[in-house]
């Protein structure tokens, strides 16, 4: 279990939700650190920033969801509910960040059952990235931009 500066109560609640799920688990420290580094290498210009969504080194798109829940939009973006995703909990804190792995449907349920927190999700191959920011917006990059553009057509 990764030691982090993220709110202890939030992490307790997330870890309890993960423990009750059969298909989501937390990556071990070394694997989590290596994966976060891989995400940074693929997408982030300045990995020392706390808000990585403010330092994306390629094309990105910001979608405001206002006071609504972003679950519906996430479900439209990630059509395959069994697709494996990685959830990186940041909650406006600096690294290290815990990383959870599982099917999108299970990860999405865990996200929706918590109070609002900042996070990003991606796939194992790091071909796309979605941030949920404290501005109540999703920031998309990589292949997820094309997915969103196809939804608008």
């Amino acid at each position: 279990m990764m030691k982090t500066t993220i709110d202890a109560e939030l992490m307790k609640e997330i870890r309890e939700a993960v423990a009750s799920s059969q298909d989501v688990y937390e990556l071990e420290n070394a694997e989590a650190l290596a994966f976060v580094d891989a995400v940074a290498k693929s997408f982030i210009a300045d990995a020392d920033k706390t808000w990585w969504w403010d330092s994306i080194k390629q094309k990105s798109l910001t979608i405001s969801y206002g006071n609504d829940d972003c679950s519906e939009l996430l479900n439209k973006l990630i059509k395959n509910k069994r697709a494996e995703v990685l959830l990186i909990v940041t909650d406006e804190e600096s690294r290290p960040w815990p990383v959870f792995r599982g099917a999108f449907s299970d990860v999405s349920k865990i996200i929706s059952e918590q109070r609002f927190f900042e996070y990003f999700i991606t796939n194992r191959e790091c071909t796309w990235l979605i941030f949920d920011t404290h501005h109540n917006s999703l920031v998309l990059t990589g292949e997820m931009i094309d997915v969103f553009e196809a939804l608008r057509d």
Side-chain angles (χ1 to χ4, degrees), residues 12-24:
K12 178 180 177 255
E13 291 170 6
I14 291 173
R15 287 183 171 127
E16 286 173 356
V18 167
S20 69
S21 171
Q22 295 180 5
D23 295 322
V24 178

Side-chain angles (χ1 to χ4, degrees), residues 38-149:
V39 171
K41 184 177 179 184
S42 295
F43 295 106
I44 307 304
D46 183 357
D48 291 330
K49 285 189 169 226
T50 299
W51 298 325
W52 277 11
W53 45 265
D54 202 25
S55 186
I56 298 172
K57 65 182 176 184
Q58 57 195 44
K59 181 180 175 185
S60 66
L61 181 65
T62 301
I63 307 158
S64 177
Y65 59 84
N67 292 326
D68 297 332
D69 180 352
C70 70
S71 298
E72 185 178 329
L73 181 54
L74 283 175
N75 280 308
K76 287 179 182 176
L77 291 167
I78 303 173
K79 293 176 181 62
N80 179 357
K81 304 310 174 230
R82 299 303 315 153
E84 179 185 86
V85 298
L86 290 109
L87 166 68
I88 300 86
V89 178
T90 62
D91 204 37
E92 297 190 46
E93 295 293 336
S94 298
R95 292 184 288 172
W97 297 317
V99 180
F100 301 90
R101 179 179 176 183
F104 172 69
S105 58
D106 298 317
V107 169
S108 175
K109 184 175 188 276
I110 290 168
I111 291 169
S112 68
E113 291 175 347
Q114 309 308 314
R115 66 161 174 84
F116 176 82
F117 64 96
E118 283 193 3
Y119 61 89
F120 57 92
I121 56 176
T122 186
N123 59 350
R124 172 66 70 183
E125 300 77 24
C126 294
T127 60
W128 57 265
L129 191 58
I130 302 172
F131 292 92
D132 190 355
T133 77
H134 62 255
H135 295 296
N136 291 3
S137 61
L138 297 181
V139 178
L140 316 177
T141 193
E143 293 175 355
M144 204 47 69
I145 291 176
D146 294 335
V147 171
F148 180 74
E149 294 295 337

